[in-house]
mmCIF file of all heavy atoms in Angstrom:
data_model
loop_
_atom_site.group_PDB
_atom_site.id
_atom_site.type_symbol
_atom_site.label_atom_id
_atom_site.label_comp_id
_atom_site.label_asym_id
_atom_site.label_seq_id
_atom_site.Cartn_x
_atom_site.Cartn_y
_atom_site.Cartn_z
ATOM 1 N N ALA A 194 -26.402 1.279 -111.501
ATOM 2 C CA ALA A 194 -26.765 2.572 -112.177
ATOM 3 C C ALA A 194 -25.495 2.937 -112.861
ATOM 4 O O ALA A 194 -24.467 3.223 -112.338
ATOM 5 C CB ALA A 194 -27.170 3.602 -111.097
ATOM 6 N N ILE A 195 -25.700 3.057 -114.229
ATOM 7 C CA ILE A 195 -24.418 3.136 -115.186
ATOM 8 C C ILE A 195 -24.525 4.618 -115.692
ATOM 9 O O ILE A 195 -25.493 5.048 -116.137
ATOM 10 C CB ILE A 195 -24.573 2.217 -116.267
ATOM 11 C CG1 ILE A 195 -24.570 0.773 -115.714
ATOM 12 C CG2 ILE A 195 -23.346 2.361 -117.260
ATOM 13 C CD1 ILE A 195 -24.919 -0.406 -116.656
ATOM 14 N N ALA A 196 -23.361 5.219 -115.733
ATOM 15 C CA ALA A 196 -23.231 6.611 -116.335
ATOM 16 C C ALA A 196 -23.358 6.434 -117.917
ATOM 17 O O ALA A 196 -22.828 5.553 -118.452
ATOM 18 C CB ALA A 196 -21.990 7.220 -115.955
ATOM 19 N N GLY A 197 -23.969 7.472 -118.472
ATOM 20 C CA GLY A 197 -24.154 7.457 -119.926
ATOM 21 C C GLY A 197 -22.730 7.319 -120.787
ATOM 22 O O GLY A 197 -22.637 6.456 -121.606
ATOM 23 N N ASN A 198 -21.712 8.076 -120.272
ATOM 24 C CA ASN A 198 -20.429 7.982 -121.058
ATOM 25 C C ASN A 198 -19.675 6.666 -120.604
ATOM 26 O O ASN A 198 -18.902 6.195 -121.381
ATOM 27 C CB ASN A 198 -19.546 9.207 -120.769
ATOM 28 C CG ASN A 198 -19.103 9.420 -119.324
ATOM 29 O OD1 ASN A 198 -19.753 8.973 -118.395
ATOM 30 N ND2 ASN A 198 -18.074 10.117 -119.252
ATOM 31 N N ASP A 199 -19.904 5.993 -119.390
ATOM 32 C CA ASP A 199 -19.412 4.801 -119.187
ATOM 33 C C ASP A 199 -19.991 3.718 -120.049
ATOM 34 O O ASP A 199 -19.257 2.904 -120.532
ATOM 35 C CB ASP A 199 -19.624 4.463 -117.738
ATOM 36 C CG ASP A 199 -18.756 5.279 -116.712
ATOM 37 O OD1 ASP A 199 -17.734 5.794 -117.203
ATOM 38 O OD2 ASP A 199 -19.090 5.266 -115.593
ATOM 39 N N ASP A 200 -21.223 3.789 -120.306
ATOM 40 C CA ASP A 200 -21.945 2.867 -121.141
ATOM 41 C C ASP A 200 -21.308 2.942 -122.609
ATOM 42 O O ASP A 200 -21.200 2.003 -123.337
ATOM 43 C CB ASP A 200 -23.346 3.093 -121.208
ATOM 44 C CG ASP A 200 -24.080 2.032 -122.020
ATOM 45 O OD1 ASP A 200 -23.954 0.912 -121.803
ATOM 46 O OD2 ASP A 200 -24.851 2.587 -123.037
ATOM 47 N N ALA A 201 -21.135 4.163 -123.056
ATOM 48 C CA ALA A 201 -20.633 4.337 -124.395
ATOM 49 C C ALA A 201 -19.117 3.729 -124.542
ATOM 50 O O ALA A 201 -18.923 3.289 -125.623
ATOM 51 C CB ALA A 201 -20.523 5.936 -124.673
ATOM 52 N N LYS A 202 -18.421 3.740 -123.463
ATOM 53 C CA LYS A 202 -17.039 3.168 -123.525
ATOM 54 C C LYS A 202 -17.105 1.693 -123.310
ATOM 55 O O LYS A 202 -16.320 0.940 -124.008
ATOM 56 C CB LYS A 202 -16.204 3.637 -122.313
ATOM 57 C CG LYS A 202 -15.891 5.220 -122.483
ATOM 58 C CD LYS A 202 -15.158 5.722 -121.160
ATOM 59 C CE LYS A 202 -15.053 7.172 -121.195
ATOM 60 N NZ LYS A 202 -14.577 7.689 -119.808
ATOM 61 N N GLU A 203 -18.069 1.116 -122.629
ATOM 62 C CA GLU A 203 -18.218 -0.336 -122.408
ATOM 63 C C GLU A 203 -19.706 -0.689 -122.641
ATOM 64 O O GLU A 203 -20.416 -1.144 -121.680
ATOM 65 C CB GLU A 203 -17.791 -0.661 -120.925
ATOM 66 C CG GLU A 203 -16.379 -0.306 -120.580
ATOM 67 C CD GLU A 203 -15.943 -0.698 -119.239
ATOM 68 O OE1 GLU A 203 -16.873 -0.671 -118.367
ATOM 69 O OE2 GLU A 203 -14.825 -1.050 -118.941
ATOM 70 N N PRO A 204 -20.041 -0.752 -123.860
ATOM 71 C CA PRO A 204 -21.482 -1.052 -124.168
ATOM 72 C C PRO A 204 -21.963 -2.455 -123.815
ATOM 73 O O PRO A 204 -23.147 -2.673 -123.724
ATOM 74 C CB PRO A 204 -21.645 -0.590 -125.681
ATOM 75 C CG PRO A 204 -20.292 -0.838 -126.209
ATOM 76 C CD PRO A 204 -19.431 -0.372 -125.135
ATOM 77 N N ASP A 205 -21.088 -3.320 -123.766
ATOM 78 C CA ASP A 205 -21.372 -4.707 -123.531
ATOM 79 C C ASP A 205 -21.549 -5.051 -122.028
ATOM 80 O O ASP A 205 -22.108 -6.061 -121.711
ATOM 81 C CB ASP A 205 -20.412 -5.650 -124.179
ATOM 82 C CG ASP A 205 -20.185 -5.606 -125.631
ATOM 83 O OD1 ASP A 205 -21.283 -5.233 -126.320
ATOM 84 O OD2 ASP A 205 -19.172 -5.900 -126.248
ATOM 85 N N ALA A 206 -20.961 -4.151 -121.252
ATOM 86 C CA ALA A 206 -20.976 -4.562 -119.770
ATOM 87 C C ALA A 206 -22.269 -4.698 -119.108
ATOM 88 O O ALA A 206 -22.548 -5.756 -118.459
ATOM 89 C CB ALA A 206 -20.215 -3.372 -118.975
ATOM 90 N N LYS A 207 -23.230 -3.972 -119.510
ATOM 91 C CA LYS A 207 -24.668 -4.096 -118.936
ATOM 92 C C LYS A 207 -25.252 -5.388 -119.469
ATOM 93 O O LYS A 207 -26.050 -6.016 -118.597
ATOM 94 C CB LYS A 207 -25.506 -2.979 -119.396
ATOM 95 C CG LYS A 207 -25.725 -2.765 -120.927
ATOM 96 C CD LYS A 207 -26.527 -1.544 -121.153
ATOM 97 C CE LYS A 207 -26.749 -1.251 -122.680
ATOM 98 N NZ LYS A 207 -25.432 -1.094 -123.402
ATOM 99 N N ASP A 208 -24.967 -5.884 -120.600
ATOM 100 C CA ASP A 208 -25.551 -7.106 -121.135
ATOM 101 C C ASP A 208 -24.888 -8.287 -120.374
ATOM 102 O O ASP A 208 -25.525 -9.202 -120.078
ATOM 103 C CB ASP A 208 -25.425 -7.233 -122.592
ATOM 104 C CG ASP A 208 -25.982 -5.992 -123.420
ATOM 105 O OD1 ASP A 208 -27.125 -5.602 -122.947
ATOM 106 O OD2 ASP A 208 -25.489 -5.578 -124.254
ATOM 107 N N ILE A 209 -23.618 -8.159 -120.176
ATOM 108 C CA ILE A 209 -22.858 -9.387 -119.484
ATOM 109 C C ILE A 209 -23.378 -9.361 -118.066
ATOM 110 O O ILE A 209 -23.676 -10.573 -117.530
ATOM 111 C CB ILE A 209 -21.398 -9.070 -119.448
ATOM 112 C CG1 ILE A 209 -20.842 -9.077 -120.935
ATOM 113 C CG2 ILE A 209 -20.661 -10.027 -118.565
ATOM 114 C CD1 ILE A 209 -19.413 -8.578 -121.064
ATOM 115 N N LEU A 210 -23.687 -8.275 -117.299
ATOM 116 C CA LEU A 210 -24.171 -8.272 -116.049
ATOM 117 C C LEU A 210 -25.576 -8.854 -115.999
ATOM 118 O O LEU A 210 -25.877 -9.550 -115.104
ATOM 119 C CB LEU A 210 -24.055 -6.795 -115.487
ATOM 120 C CG LEU A 210 -22.687 -6.258 -115.177
ATOM 121 C CD1 LEU A 210 -22.720 -4.791 -114.973
ATOM 122 C CD2 LEU A 210 -22.114 -6.976 -113.895
ATOM 123 N N ARG A 211 -26.458 -8.295 -116.914
ATOM 124 C CA ARG A 211 -27.756 -8.855 -116.789
ATOM 125 C C ARG A 211 -27.804 -10.411 -117.061
ATOM 126 O O ARG A 211 -28.514 -11.069 -116.350
ATOM 127 C CB ARG A 211 -28.580 -8.227 -118.003
ATOM 128 C CG ARG A 211 -28.923 -6.829 -117.844
ATOM 129 C CD ARG A 211 -29.965 -6.464 -118.809
ATOM 130 N NE ARG A 211 -30.430 -4.900 -118.562
ATOM 131 C CZ ARG A 211 -29.853 -3.951 -119.347
ATOM 132 N NH1 ARG A 211 -29.244 -4.172 -120.449
ATOM 133 N NH2 ARG A 211 -30.256 -2.720 -119.107
ATOM 134 N N LYS A 212 -27.036 -10.851 -118.007
ATOM 135 C CA LYS A 212 -26.922 -12.374 -118.200
ATOM 136 C C LYS A 212 -26.581 -13.121 -116.985
ATOM 137 O O LYS A 212 -26.988 -14.101 -116.552
ATOM 138 C CB LYS A 212 -26.145 -12.598 -119.430
ATOM 139 C CG LYS A 212 -25.964 -14.123 -119.853
ATOM 140 C CD LYS A 212 -25.227 -14.199 -121.165
ATOM 141 C CE LYS A 212 -25.269 -15.624 -121.581
ATOM 142 N NZ LYS A 212 -24.359 -16.585 -120.789
ATOM 143 N N SER A 213 -25.453 -12.554 -116.318
ATOM 144 C CA SER A 213 -24.870 -13.185 -115.134
ATOM 145 C C SER A 213 -25.897 -13.215 -114.021
ATOM 146 O O SER A 213 -25.955 -14.226 -113.340
ATOM 147 C CB SER A 213 -23.672 -12.488 -114.738
ATOM 148 O OG SER A 213 -22.674 -12.523 -115.736
ATOM 149 N N PHE A 214 -26.588 -12.093 -113.731
ATOM 150 C CA PHE A 214 -27.598 -12.070 -112.662
ATOM 151 C C PHE A 214 -28.688 -13.038 -112.974
ATOM 152 O O PHE A 214 -29.301 -13.750 -112.071
ATOM 153 C CB PHE A 214 -28.084 -10.674 -112.347
ATOM 154 C CG PHE A 214 -27.132 -9.857 -111.526
ATOM 155 C CD1 PHE A 214 -26.349 -8.854 -112.127
ATOM 156 C CD2 PHE A 214 -26.957 -10.153 -110.212
ATOM 157 C CE1 PHE A 214 -25.503 -7.953 -111.304
ATOM 158 C CE2 PHE A 214 -26.101 -9.436 -109.398
ATOM 159 C CZ PHE A 214 -25.330 -8.362 -109.843
ATOM 160 N N ASP A 215 -29.174 -12.999 -114.240
ATOM 161 C CA ASP A 215 -30.342 -13.872 -114.615
ATOM 162 C C ASP A 215 -29.966 -15.352 -114.461
ATOM 163 O O ASP A 215 -30.649 -16.095 -113.881
ATOM 164 C CB ASP A 215 -30.588 -13.665 -116.142
ATOM 165 C CG ASP A 215 -31.435 -12.330 -116.326
ATOM 166 O OD1 ASP A 215 -31.896 -11.668 -115.298
ATOM 167 O OD2 ASP A 215 -31.535 -11.914 -117.495
ATOM 168 N N GLU A 216 -28.727 -15.759 -114.806
ATOM 169 C CA GLU A 216 -28.284 -17.092 -114.792
ATOM 170 C C GLU A 216 -28.118 -17.557 -113.280
ATOM 171 O O GLU A 216 -28.414 -18.693 -112.920
ATOM 172 C CB GLU A 216 -26.970 -17.318 -115.549
ATOM 173 C CG GLU A 216 -27.132 -17.276 -116.980
ATOM 174 C CD GLU A 216 -25.793 -17.381 -117.767
ATOM 175 O OE1 GLU A 216 -24.727 -17.317 -117.033
ATOM 176 O OE2 GLU A 216 -25.779 -17.678 -118.913
ATOM 177 N N ALA A 217 -27.853 -16.532 -112.361
ATOM 178 C CA ALA A 217 -27.650 -16.824 -110.955
ATOM 179 C C ALA A 217 -29.022 -16.751 -110.300
ATOM 180 O O ALA A 217 -29.119 -17.112 -109.089
ATOM 181 C CB ALA A 217 -26.680 -15.855 -110.355
ATOM 182 N N GLY A 218 -30.058 -16.363 -110.963
ATOM 183 C CA GLY A 218 -31.463 -16.330 -110.320
ATOM 184 C C GLY A 218 -31.509 -15.155 -109.436
ATOM 185 O O GLY A 218 -32.325 -15.245 -108.404
ATOM 186 N N LEU A 219 -30.759 -14.045 -109.464
ATOM 187 C CA LEU A 219 -30.773 -12.880 -108.542
ATOM 188 C C LEU A 219 -31.396 -11.681 -109.219
ATOM 189 O O LEU A 219 -31.175 -11.454 -110.498
ATOM 190 C CB LEU A 219 -29.315 -12.611 -108.143
ATOM 191 C CG LEU A 219 -28.583 -13.731 -107.411
ATOM 192 C CD1 LEU A 219 -27.163 -13.140 -107.133
ATOM 193 C CD2 LEU A 219 -29.253 -13.994 -106.082
ATOM 194 N N GLY A 220 -32.230 -10.914 -108.477
ATOM 195 C CA GLY A 220 -32.844 -9.781 -109.117
ATOM 196 C C GLY A 220 -31.873 -8.642 -109.216
ATOM 197 O O GLY A 220 -31.037 -8.366 -108.355
ATOM 198 N N ALA A 221 -31.779 -7.944 -110.459
ATOM 199 C CA ALA A 221 -30.868 -6.895 -110.624
ATOM 200 C C ALA A 221 -31.525 -5.892 -111.473
ATOM 201 O O ALA A 221 -31.984 -6.182 -112.715
ATOM 202 C CB ALA A 221 -29.571 -7.404 -111.211
ATOM 203 N N GLU A 222 -31.631 -4.661 -111.033
ATOM 204 C CA GLU A 222 -32.070 -3.473 -111.776
ATOM 205 C C GLU A 222 -30.927 -2.869 -112.431
ATOM 206 O O GLU A 222 -30.136 -2.235 -111.689
ATOM 207 C CB GLU A 222 -32.823 -2.519 -110.988
ATOM 208 C CG GLU A 222 -33.392 -1.370 -111.718
ATOM 209 C CD GLU A 222 -34.130 -0.398 -110.902
ATOM 210 O OE1 GLU A 222 -34.987 -0.865 -110.064
ATOM 211 O OE2 GLU A 222 -33.769 0.832 -110.798
ATOM 212 N N ILE A 223 -30.646 -3.043 -113.750
ATOM 213 C CA ILE A 223 -29.452 -2.511 -114.367
ATOM 214 C C ILE A 223 -29.897 -1.479 -115.500
ATOM 215 O O ILE A 223 -30.609 -1.774 -116.285
ATOM 216 C CB ILE A 223 -28.656 -3.690 -115.008
ATOM 217 C CG1 ILE A 223 -28.243 -4.742 -114.002
ATOM 218 C CG2 ILE A 223 -27.413 -3.142 -115.818
ATOM 219 C CD1 ILE A 223 -27.692 -5.929 -114.657
ATOM 220 N N GLU A 224 -29.448 -0.235 -115.223
ATOM 221 C CA GLU A 224 -29.991 0.872 -116.091
ATOM 222 C C GLU A 224 -28.924 1.884 -116.428
ATOM 223 O O GLU A 224 -28.043 2.241 -115.537
ATOM 224 C CB GLU A 224 -31.088 1.563 -115.363
ATOM 225 C CG GLU A 224 -31.773 2.714 -116.229
ATOM 226 C CD GLU A 224 -32.895 3.357 -115.571
ATOM 227 O OE1 GLU A 224 -33.255 2.939 -114.505
ATOM 228 O OE2 GLU A 224 -33.370 4.465 -116.119
ATOM 229 N N VAL A 225 -28.816 2.248 -117.684
ATOM 230 C CA VAL A 225 -27.931 3.451 -118.027
ATOM 231 C C VAL A 225 -28.777 4.715 -117.762
ATOM 232 O O VAL A 225 -29.840 4.823 -118.256
ATOM 233 C CB VAL A 225 -27.572 3.361 -119.484
ATOM 234 C CG1 VAL A 225 -26.749 4.589 -120.001
ATOM 235 C CG2 VAL A 225 -26.875 2.067 -119.800
ATOM 236 N N TYR A 226 -28.110 5.545 -116.991
ATOM 237 C CA TYR A 226 -28.829 6.835 -116.600
ATOM 238 C C TYR A 226 -28.438 7.840 -117.761
ATOM 239 O O TYR A 226 -27.250 8.321 -117.803
ATOM 240 C CB TYR A 226 -28.507 7.327 -115.288
ATOM 241 C CG TYR A 226 -29.244 6.605 -114.191
ATOM 242 C CD1 TYR A 226 -29.123 5.286 -113.990
ATOM 243 C CD2 TYR A 226 -30.250 7.287 -113.404
ATOM 244 C CE1 TYR A 226 -29.806 4.551 -113.057
ATOM 245 C CE2 TYR A 226 -30.955 6.634 -112.434
ATOM 246 C CZ TYR A 226 -30.682 5.245 -112.307
ATOM 247 O OH TYR A 226 -31.470 4.625 -111.312
ATOM 248 N N GLU A 227 -29.369 8.204 -118.658
ATOM 249 C CA GLU A 227 -28.996 9.028 -119.782
ATOM 250 C C GLU A 227 -28.586 10.410 -119.502
ATOM 251 O O GLU A 227 -28.979 11.011 -118.382
ATOM 252 C CB GLU A 227 -30.272 9.061 -120.733
ATOM 253 C CG GLU A 227 -30.700 7.748 -121.242
ATOM 254 C CD GLU A 227 -29.635 7.045 -122.108
ATOM 255 O OE1 GLU A 227 -28.665 7.655 -122.543
ATOM 256 O OE2 GLU A 227 -29.726 5.768 -122.134
#
Side-chain angles (χ1 to χ4, degrees):
I195 303 169
N198 66 334
D199 287 340
D200 180 61
K202 294 173 187 171
E203 298 180 331
D205 296 334
K207 60 184 179 297
D208 302 317
I209 295 169
L210 290 164
R211 284 194 186 104
K212 184 173 185 288
S213 298
F214 279 110
D215 286 346
E216 290 177 348
L219 298 175
E222 178 180 312
I223 301 171
E224 182 178 355
V225 177
Y226 282 65
E227 299 299 339

